[in-house]
Amino acid sequence: MKEARCPFLETKTVTFCKAYPSKMIPVDRMSSSEGLCNTCNYEECALYSEVSGVEGMENVRGFRLHPEYHYHPKHLWVALSSGEEDEARIGIDDFSARLIGRVDRASVPAVGVAVKENSVCFLLHSGRRTVRLVSPADGVIKSVNPKLTADPSILNDDPYSEGWIFSLRLKRDAVKGLYHENVARKWFESEVERLQRVFSSDLGMTATDGGVALTDISSRLNDAQWGKIVSQFLG
Protein backbone atom coordinates (compact mmCIF):
# COMPACT_ATOMS: atom_id res chain seq x y z
CA MET A 1 0.00 0.00 0.00
CA LYS A 2 1.41 3.38 -1.03
CA GLU A 3 2.16 5.63 1.90
CA ALA A 4 0.22 8.87 1.81
CA ARG A 5 2.33 11.98 1.40
CA CYS A 6 1.93 14.74 3.94
CA PRO A 7 0.21 17.69 2.21
CA PHE A 8 2.21 20.12 4.33
CA LEU A 9 5.63 18.74 3.40
CA GLU A 10 7.63 20.78 0.91
CA THR A 11 11.04 19.82 -0.44
CA LYS A 12 13.50 22.50 -1.47
CA THR A 13 17.27 22.54 -2.05
CA VAL A 14 19.03 25.20 0.01
CA THR A 15 22.52 26.47 0.75
CA PHE A 16 23.68 27.53 4.19
CA CYS A 17 24.65 31.15 4.76
CA LYS A 18 28.27 31.35 5.93
CA ALA A 19 27.53 34.40 8.03
CA TYR A 20 24.61 32.88 9.87
CA PRO A 21 24.78 29.05 9.83
CA SER A 22 21.12 28.81 10.84
CA LYS A 23 20.11 30.83 7.78
CA MET A 24 19.35 28.88 4.61
CA ILE A 25 18.99 30.37 1.13
CA PRO A 26 17.05 28.51 -1.61
CA VAL A 27 19.38 27.56 -4.46
CA ASP A 28 17.04 29.06 -7.05
CA ARG A 29 17.67 32.47 -5.48
CA MET A 30 21.42 32.10 -5.91
CA SER A 31 21.17 32.73 -9.65
CA SER A 32 20.70 36.44 -9.05
CA SER A 33 22.06 38.80 -6.44
CA GLU A 34 18.74 40.64 -6.36
CA GLY A 35 16.88 39.59 -3.25
CA LEU A 36 19.76 37.35 -2.24
CA CYS A 37 19.90 38.68 1.29
CA ASN A 38 17.18 40.32 3.35
CA THR A 39 19.48 42.07 5.83
CA CYS A 40 20.63 45.67 5.63
CA ASN A 41 24.31 44.66 5.92
CA TYR A 42 24.43 42.39 2.88
CA GLU A 43 27.36 44.26 1.31
CA GLU A 44 29.55 43.22 4.27
CA CYS A 45 28.50 39.59 3.98
CA ALA A 46 31.20 37.15 2.81
CA LEU A 47 28.65 34.93 1.05
CA TYR A 48 27.12 37.88 -0.80
CA SER A 49 30.56 39.03 -1.92
CA GLU A 50 31.48 35.58 -3.25
CA VAL A 51 28.24 35.24 -5.21
CA SER A 52 27.88 38.78 -6.52
CA GLY A 53 31.53 39.74 -7.00
CA VAL A 54 31.12 43.01 -5.12
CA GLU A 55 33.79 45.62 -6.00
CA GLY A 56 35.68 43.17 -8.21
CA MET A 57 37.66 42.00 -5.19
CA GLU A 58 38.36 38.44 -4.17
CA ASN A 59 36.88 37.35 -0.88
CA VAL A 60 39.20 35.37 1.38
CA ARG A 61 37.31 34.22 4.46
CA GLY A 62 35.57 37.55 4.84
CA PHE A 63 38.56 39.74 3.95
CA ARG A 64 38.95 41.53 0.61
CA LEU A 65 41.98 40.92 -1.61
CA HIS A 66 42.81 42.78 -4.81
CA PRO A 67 43.79 40.03 -7.28
CA GLU A 68 46.21 42.10 -9.38
CA TYR A 69 48.45 43.60 -6.71
CA HIS A 70 51.74 42.42 -5.23
CA TYR A 71 51.81 41.92 -1.44
CA HIS A 72 54.44 42.33 1.24
CA PRO A 73 54.34 39.96 4.29
CA LYS A 74 53.48 42.93 6.56
CA HIS A 75 50.15 43.40 4.73
CA LEU A 76 51.11 46.16 2.34
CA TRP A 77 50.35 46.18 -1.35
CA VAL A 78 52.27 47.40 -4.39
CA ALA A 79 50.35 48.31 -7.55
CA LEU A 80 52.56 48.77 -10.60
CA SER A 81 51.66 51.70 -12.84
CA SER A 82 50.35 50.76 -16.24
CA GLY A 83 53.19 50.75 -18.75
CA GLU A 84 55.76 51.90 -16.17
CA GLU A 85 57.19 49.00 -14.17
CA ASP A 86 59.50 51.29 -12.20
CA GLU A 87 56.58 53.23 -10.67
CA ALA A 88 54.03 51.94 -8.19
CA ARG A 89 51.44 53.00 -5.65
CA ILE A 90 51.68 51.67 -2.11
CA GLY A 91 48.93 51.00 0.42
CA ILE A 92 47.68 48.77 3.23
CA ASP A 93 45.45 45.76 2.59
CA ASP A 94 42.01 45.07 4.07
CA PHE A 95 43.58 42.87 6.74
CA SER A 96 45.76 45.78 7.95
CA ALA A 97 42.90 48.26 7.85
CA ARG A 98 40.75 46.11 10.14
CA LEU A 99 43.55 45.42 12.61
CA ILE A 100 44.63 49.05 12.87
CA GLY A 101 41.16 50.51 13.36
CA ARG A 102 39.79 53.82 12.12
CA VAL A 103 42.76 55.85 10.90
CA ASP A 104 42.57 59.51 11.94
CA ARG A 105 46.09 60.64 11.07
CA ALA A 106 48.95 59.53 8.81
CA SER A 107 52.63 60.46 9.01
CA VAL A 108 54.17 59.90 5.58
CA PRO A 109 57.69 60.68 4.25
CA ALA A 110 58.18 63.69 1.99
CA VAL A 111 58.54 63.52 -1.76
CA GLY A 112 62.13 62.70 -2.76
CA VAL A 113 62.94 60.65 0.34
CA ALA A 114 64.60 57.26 -0.31
CA VAL A 115 63.05 54.28 1.47
CA LYS A 116 64.25 50.72 1.93
CA GLU A 117 62.23 47.53 1.99
CA ASN A 118 61.46 46.33 5.54
CA SER A 119 62.51 49.65 7.09
CA VAL A 120 59.89 51.72 8.94
CA CYS A 121 58.89 54.63 6.72
CA PHE A 122 55.39 55.77 7.74
CA LEU A 123 53.02 55.82 10.71
CA LEU A 124 49.25 55.40 10.93
CA HIS A 125 47.38 56.67 13.98
CA SER A 126 44.05 55.48 15.34
CA GLY A 127 43.18 57.56 18.38
CA ARG A 128 46.02 57.09 20.88
CA ARG A 129 47.27 54.01 19.05
CA THR A 130 50.07 54.21 16.50
CA VAL A 131 51.33 51.62 14.00
CA ARG A 132 54.83 51.81 12.53
CA LEU A 133 54.78 50.37 9.01
CA VAL A 134 57.62 49.44 6.70
CA SER A 135 58.17 50.09 3.05
CA PRO A 136 57.26 47.06 0.91
CA ALA A 137 60.03 47.83 -1.59
CA ASP A 138 63.15 49.89 -2.23
CA GLY A 139 62.57 53.21 -3.93
CA VAL A 140 62.16 56.97 -3.76
CA ILE A 141 58.92 58.70 -2.76
CA LYS A 142 57.44 60.25 -5.89
CA SER A 143 54.09 61.53 -4.56
CA VAL A 144 51.81 61.35 -1.52
CA ASN A 145 48.05 60.87 -1.71
CA PRO A 146 46.62 64.39 -1.11
CA LYS A 147 43.36 62.91 0.19
CA LEU A 148 45.07 61.50 3.28
CA THR A 149 45.37 64.89 4.94
CA ALA A 150 41.73 65.75 4.37
CA ASP A 151 40.33 62.34 5.33
CA PRO A 152 42.74 59.66 6.61
CA SER A 153 39.83 57.24 7.18
CA ILE A 154 39.81 56.68 3.42
CA LEU A 155 42.40 54.01 4.21
CA ASN A 156 39.64 52.04 5.93
CA ASP A 157 36.86 52.78 3.48
CA ASP A 158 38.78 52.11 0.27
CA PRO A 159 42.25 50.70 1.05
CA TYR A 160 42.88 49.33 -2.45
CA SER A 161 41.99 52.31 -4.61
CA GLU A 162 41.35 55.84 -3.34
CA GLY A 163 43.16 54.95 -0.13
CA TRP A 164 46.64 54.57 -1.61
CA ILE A 165 49.29 56.17 0.64
CA PHE A 166 52.24 57.16 -1.55
CA SER A 167 53.85 56.27 -4.85
CA LEU A 168 57.41 55.08 -5.36
CA ARG A 169 59.99 55.24 -8.09
CA LEU A 170 61.06 51.62 -7.68
CA LYS A 171 64.54 50.18 -7.78
CA ARG A 172 65.16 47.36 -10.25
CA ASP A 173 63.27 44.10 -9.50
CA ALA A 174 61.69 45.70 -6.42
CA VAL A 175 58.61 43.46 -6.51
CA LYS A 176 60.39 40.23 -7.36
CA GLY A 177 60.13 38.79 -3.84
CA LEU A 178 56.56 39.89 -3.13
CA TYR A 179 53.48 37.65 -3.16
CA HIS A 180 51.40 37.74 -6.33
CA GLU A 181 48.34 35.99 -7.79
CA ASN A 182 47.95 32.39 -6.49
CA VAL A 183 50.82 32.74 -4.03
CA ALA A 184 49.23 35.91 -2.64
CA ARG A 185 45.85 34.19 -2.21
CA LYS A 186 47.35 31.24 -0.35
CA TRP A 187 49.42 33.52 1.87
CA PHE A 188 46.43 35.74 2.62
CA GLU A 189 44.25 32.77 3.54
CA SER A 190 46.97 31.40 5.83
CA GLU A 191 47.19 34.80 7.53
CA VAL A 192 43.45 34.85 8.19
CA GLU A 193 43.70 31.36 9.68
CA ARG A 194 46.65 32.45 11.83
CA LEU A 195 44.67 35.45 13.06
CA GLN A 196 41.79 33.19 14.05
CA ARG A 197 44.18 30.91 15.96
CA VAL A 198 45.79 33.82 17.81
CA PHE A 199 42.41 35.24 18.80
CA SER A 200 41.19 31.84 19.97
CA SER A 201 44.29 30.48 21.74
CA ASP A 202 45.98 33.61 23.05
CA LEU A 203 43.03 35.92 23.67
CA GLY A 204 40.14 33.49 24.12
CA MET A 205 38.18 35.56 21.61
CA THR A 206 36.94 35.37 18.04
CA ALA A 207 37.80 37.66 15.13
CA THR A 208 34.38 37.06 13.63
CA ASP A 209 30.80 37.97 14.43
CA GLY A 210 28.36 35.30 13.29
CA GLY A 211 31.02 33.84 10.99
CA VAL A 212 31.97 37.10 9.25
CA ALA A 213 35.28 38.87 9.87
CA LEU A 214 34.76 41.99 11.95
CA THR A 215 35.00 45.25 10.02
CA ASP A 216 36.94 46.83 12.89
CA ILE A 217 38.82 44.08 14.71
CA SER A 218 40.64 46.61 16.88
CA SER A 219 37.39 47.54 18.62
CA ARG A 220 37.40 44.15 20.37
CA LEU A 221 40.88 44.62 21.86
CA ASN A 222 42.34 46.56 24.75
CA ASP A 223 45.63 48.39 24.19
CA ALA A 224 47.82 45.48 25.31
CA GLN A 225 45.96 42.94 23.16
CA TRP A 226 45.95 45.28 20.18
CA GLY A 227 49.69 45.91 20.50
CA LYS A 228 50.40 42.18 20.59
CA ILE A 229 48.30 41.46 17.48
CA VAL A 230 49.73 44.38 15.51
CA SER A 231 53.27 43.37 16.44
CA GLN A 232 52.73 39.81 15.20
CA PHE A 233 51.16 40.70 11.87
CA LEU A 234 52.24 44.23 10.95
CA GLY A 235 55.38 44.89 13.01
Side-chain angles (χ1 to χ4, degrees):
M1 180 177 179
K2 186 176 181 180
E3 184 177 350
R5 185 169 187 235
C6 175
F8 300 104
L9 179 65
E10 180 180 348
T11 302
K12 183 171 296 223
T13 302
V14 299
T15 183
F16 287 91
C17 176
K18 291 182 179 179
Y20 301 96
S22 60
K23 178 179 176 182
M24 296 175 287
I25 304 173
V27 169
D28 57 8
R29 291 179 62 187
M30 296 292 285
S31 59
S32 171
S33 61
E34 183 178 358
L36 179 62
C37 183
N38 59 9
T39 72
C40 60
N41 297 320
Y42 67 93
E43 289 186 339
E44 299 177 6
C45 174
L47 177 62
Y48 181 88
S49 297
E50 288 180 4
V51 174
S52 61
V54 173
E55 299 180 2
M57 300 289 173
E58 292 190 12
N59 184 285
V60 180
R61 303 200 173 194
F63 290 83
R64 291 173 296 166
L65 180 73
H66 196 296
E68 298 177 2
Y69 291 175
H70 293 76
Y71 292 88
H72 184 274
K74 298 304 181 181
H75 291 277
L76 301 148
W77 54 259
V78 177
L80 298 175
S81 298
S82 178
E84 297 186 56
E85 293 187 0
D86 63 339
E87 289 185 18
R89 283 185 171 181
I90 310 299
I92 60 173
D93 64 16
D94 187 37
F95 189 98
S96 276
R98 300 198 202 188
L99 286 188
I100 294 170
R102 202 70 175 169
V103 178
D104 51 39
R105 187 161 56 92
S107 303
V108 185
V111 172
V113 172
V115 297
K116 293 183 66 66
E117 182 180 0
N118 294 321
S119 293
V120 173
C121 73
F122 68 103
L123 310 178
L124 297 181
H125 311 273
S126 178
R128 63 185 182 183
R129 297 171 171 177
T130 297
V131 183
R132 298 161 60 87
L133 294 159
V134 303
S135 173
D138 294 339
V140 176
I141 303 291
K142 182 182 178 185
S143 63
V144 175
N145 187 352
K147 295 182 179 180
L148 282 182
T149 302
D151 182 17
S153 66
I154 193 173
L155 296 176
N156 302 98
D157 299 332
D158 190 6
Y160 291 114
S161 183
E162 293 297 315
W164 62 279
I165 299 173
F166 55 82
S167 66
L168 281 180
R169 176 76 68 178
L170 299 173
K171 295 292 182 66
R172 182 182 297 273
D173 298 326
V175 300
K176 188 174 182 180
L178 301 182
Y179 304 130
H180 188 48
E181 296 182 334
N182 288 335
V183 175
R185 291 185 201 88
K186 292 178 180 178
W187 159 76
F188 202 73
E189 183 170 1
S190 70
E191 285 290 272
V192 175
E193 292 175 351
R194 184 161 73 99
L195 178 66
Q196 297 285 14
R197 289 196 301 271
V198 170
F199 261 70
S200 177
S201 61
D202 295 358
L203 304 179
M205 302 167 63
T206 176
T208 64
D209 185 6
V212 173
L214 295 173
T215 301
D216 180 7
I217 294 174
S218 69
S219 65
R220 289 279 182 97
L221 308 173
N222 60 37
D223 288 348
Q225 293 170 332
W226 179 84
K228 182 177 181 179
I229 293 289
V230 165
S231 176
Q232 289 188 52
F233 290 91
L234 311 182

PDB file of all heavy atoms in Angstrom, residues 48-61:
ATOM      1  N   TYR A  48      27.612  36.959   0.242  1.00  0.00           N
ATOM      2  CA  TYR A  48      27.117  37.875  -0.795  1.00  0.00           C
ATOM      3  C   TYR A  48      28.259  38.299  -1.718  1.00  0.00           C
ATOM      4  O   TYR A  48      28.115  38.332  -2.939  1.00  0.00           O
ATOM      5  CB  TYR A  48      26.484  39.105  -0.153  1.00  0.00           C
ATOM      6  CG  TYR A  48      25.933  40.087  -1.166  1.00  0.00           C
ATOM      7  CD1 TYR A  48      24.628  39.964  -1.642  1.00  0.00           C
ATOM      8  CD2 TYR A  48      26.720  41.122  -1.659  1.00  0.00           C
ATOM      9  CE1 TYR A  48      24.125  40.858  -2.574  1.00  0.00           C
ATOM     10  CE2 TYR A  48      26.232  42.015  -2.593  1.00  0.00           C
ATOM     11  CZ  TYR A  48      24.936  41.884  -3.048  1.00  0.00           C
ATOM     12  OH  TYR A  48      24.450  42.762  -3.978  1.00  0.00           O
ATOM     13  N   SER A  49      29.412  38.597  -1.128  1.00  0.00           N
ATOM     14  CA  SER A  49      30.561  39.028  -1.921  1.00  0.00           C
ATOM     15  C   SER A  49      31.018  37.942  -2.878  1.00  0.00           C
ATOM     16  O   SER A  49      31.353  38.199  -4.027  1.00  0.00           O
ATOM     17  CB  SER A  49      31.717  39.422  -1.001  1.00  0.00           C
ATOM     18  OG  SER A  49      31.357  40.517  -0.193  1.00  0.00           O
ATOM     19  N   GLU A  50      31.035  36.689  -2.412  1.00  0.00           N
ATOM     20  CA  GLU A  50      31.479  35.578  -3.251  1.00  0.00           C
ATOM     21  C   GLU A  50      30.534  35.359  -4.422  1.00  0.00           C
ATOM     22  O   GLU A  50      30.940  35.079  -5.541  1.00  0.00           O
ATOM     23  CB  GLU A  50      31.573  34.305  -2.417  1.00  0.00           C
ATOM     24  CG  GLU A  50      32.739  34.319  -1.445  1.00  0.00           C
ATOM     25  CD  GLU A  50      32.807  33.039  -0.638  1.00  0.00           C
ATOM     26  OE1 GLU A  50      31.995  32.128  -0.907  1.00  0.00           O
ATOM     27  OE2 GLU A  50      33.663  32.951   0.256  1.00  0.00           O
ATOM     28  N   VAL A  51      29.225  35.507  -4.163  1.00  0.00           N
ATOM     29  CA  VAL A  51      28.235  35.243  -5.205  1.00  0.00           C
ATOM     30  C   VAL A  51      28.123  36.396  -6.186  1.00  0.00           C
ATOM     31  O   VAL A  51      28.047  36.215  -7.392  1.00  0.00           O
ATOM     32  CB  VAL A  51      26.854  34.965  -4.564  1.00  0.00           C
ATOM     33  CG1 VAL A  51      25.787  34.838  -5.630  1.00  0.00           C
ATOM     34  CG2 VAL A  51      26.916  33.705  -3.732  1.00  0.00           C
ATOM     35  N   SER A  52      28.141  37.626  -5.668  1.00  0.00           N
ATOM     36  CA  SER A  52      27.877  38.777  -6.524  1.00  0.00           C
ATOM     37  C   SER A  52      29.128  39.446  -7.073  1.00  0.00           C
ATOM     38  O   SER A  52      29.049  40.269  -7.978  1.00  0.00           O
ATOM     39  CB  SER A  52      27.071  39.826  -5.741  1.00  0.00           C
ATOM     40  OG  SER A  52      27.809  40.273  -4.627  1.00  0.00           O
ATOM     41  N   GLY A  53      30.293  39.112  -6.518  1.00  0.00           N
ATOM     42  CA  GLY A  53      31.527  39.736  -7.001  1.00  0.00           C
ATOM     43  C   GLY A  53      31.588  41.213  -6.687  1.00  0.00           C
ATOM     44  O   GLY A  53      32.020  42.011  -7.494  1.00  0.00           O
ATOM     45  N   VAL A  54      31.147  41.623  -5.508  1.00  0.00           N
ATOM     46  CA  VAL A  54      31.122  43.015  -5.120  1.00  0.00           C
ATOM     47  C   VAL A  54      32.507  43.635  -5.234  1.00  0.00           C
ATOM     48  O   VAL A  54      33.499  43.071  -4.787  1.00  0.00           O
ATOM     49  CB  VAL A  54      30.598  43.149  -3.672  1.00  0.00           C
ATOM     50  CG1 VAL A  54      30.720  44.595  -3.196  1.00  0.00           C
ATOM     51  CG2 VAL A  54      29.145  42.711  -3.604  1.00  0.00           C
ATOM     52  N   GLU A  55      32.591  44.806  -5.886  1.00  0.00           N
ATOM     53  CA  GLU A  55      33.788  45.623  -5.999  1.00  0.00           C
ATOM     54  C   GLU A  55      34.896  44.977  -6.829  1.00  0.00           C
ATOM     55  O   GLU A  55      35.978  45.510  -6.911  1.00  0.00           O
ATOM     56  CB  GLU A  55      34.342  45.980  -4.604  1.00  0.00           C
ATOM     57  CG  GLU A  55      33.377  46.774  -3.752  1.00  0.00           C
ATOM     58  CD  GLU A  55      33.958  47.116  -2.393  1.00  0.00           C
ATOM     59  OE1 GLU A  55      35.125  46.766  -2.135  1.00  0.00           O
ATOM     60  OE2 GLU A  55      33.247  47.726  -1.601  1.00  0.00           O
ATOM     61  N   GLY A  56      34.651  43.817  -7.414  1.00  0.00           N
ATOM     62  CA  GLY A  56      35.680  43.173  -8.210  1.00  0.00           C
ATOM     63  C   GLY A  56      36.809  42.607  -7.384  1.00  0.00           C
ATOM     64  O   GLY A  56      37.853  42.243  -7.924  1.00  0.00           O
ATOM     65  N   MET A  57      36.628  42.541  -6.072  1.00  0.00           N
ATOM     66  CA  MET A  57      37.658  42.002  -5.189  1.00  0.00           C
ATOM     67  C   MET A  57      37.433  40.517  -4.952  1.00  0.00           C
ATOM     68  O   MET A  57      36.326  40.024  -5.068  1.00  0.00           O
ATOM     69  CB  MET A  57      37.631  42.719  -3.833  1.00  0.00           C
ATOM     70  CG  MET A  57      37.869  44.199  -3.906  1.00  0.00           C
ATOM     71  SD  MET A  57      39.577  44.558  -4.334  1.00  0.00           S
ATOM     72  CE  MET A  57      39.472  46.334  -4.546  1.00  0.00           C
ATOM     73  N   GLU A  58      38.500  39.824  -4.584  1.00  0.00           N
ATOM     74  CA  GLU A  58      38.360  38.440  -4.170  1.00  0.00           C
ATOM     75  C   GLU A  58      38.051  38.419  -2.677  1.00  0.00           C
ATOM     76  O   GLU A  58      38.537  39.267  -1.925  1.00  0.00           O
ATOM     77  CB  GLU A  58      39.642  37.663  -4.456  1.00  0.00           C
ATOM     78  CG  GLU A  58      39.904  37.488  -5.931  1.00  0.00           C
ATOM     79  CD  GLU A  58      41.046  36.520  -6.188  1.00  0.00           C
ATOM     80  OE1 GLU A  58      41.464  35.837  -5.234  1.00  0.00           O
ATOM     81  OE2 GLU A  58      41.514  36.459  -7.328  1.00  0.00           O
ATOM     82  N   ASN A  59      37.237  37.475  -2.281  1.00  0.00           N
ATOM     83  CA  ASN A  59      36.881  37.348  -0.875  1.00  0.00           C
ATOM     84  C   ASN A  59      37.630  36.166  -0.284  1.00  0.00           C
ATOM     85  O   ASN A  59      37.516  35.047  -0.765  1.00  0.00           O
ATOM     86  CB  ASN A  59      35.373  37.155  -0.727  1.00  0.00           C
ATOM     87  CG  ASN A  59      34.951  37.128   0.724  1.00  0.00           C
ATOM     88  OD1 ASN A  59      35.172  36.145   1.420  1.00  0.00           O
ATOM     89  ND2 ASN A  59      34.314  38.196   1.175  1.00  0.00           N
ATOM     90  N   VAL A  60      38.431  36.435   0.724  1.00  0.00           N
ATOM     91  CA  VAL A  60      39.202  35.375   1.382  1.00  0.00           C
ATOM     92  C   VAL A  60      38.760  35.313   2.835  1.00  0.00           C
ATOM     93  O   VAL A  60      39.195  36.102   3.667  1.00  0.00           O
ATOM     94  CB  VAL A  60      40.712  35.644   1.298  1.00  0.00           C
ATOM     95  CG1 VAL A  60      41.483  34.517   1.991  1.00  0.00           C
ATOM     96  CG2 VAL A  60      41.161  35.769  -0.155  1.00  0.00           C
ATOM     97  N   ARG A  61      37.814  34.411   3.103  1.00  0.00           N
ATOM     98  CA  ARG A  61      37.306  34.218   4.459  1.00  0.00           C
ATOM     99  C   ARG A  61      36.828  35.509   5.101  1.00  0.00           C
ATOM    100  O   ARG A  61      37.097  35.799   6.255  1.00  0.00           O
ATOM    101  CB  ARG A  61      38.347  33.540   5.330  1.00  0.00           C
ATOM    102  CG  ARG A  61      38.788  32.203   4.757  1.00  0.00           C
ATOM    103  CD  ARG A  61      39.415  31.317   5.777  1.00  0.00           C
ATOM    104  NE  ARG A  61      39.667  29.995   5.206  1.00  0.00           N
ATOM    105  CZ  ARG A  61      39.955  28.923   5.917  1.00  0.00           C
ATOM    106  NH1 ARG A  61      40.001  28.994   7.221  1.00  0.00           N
ATOM    107  NH2 ARG A  61      40.188  27.772   5.329  1.00  0.00           N
TER     108      ARG A  61
END
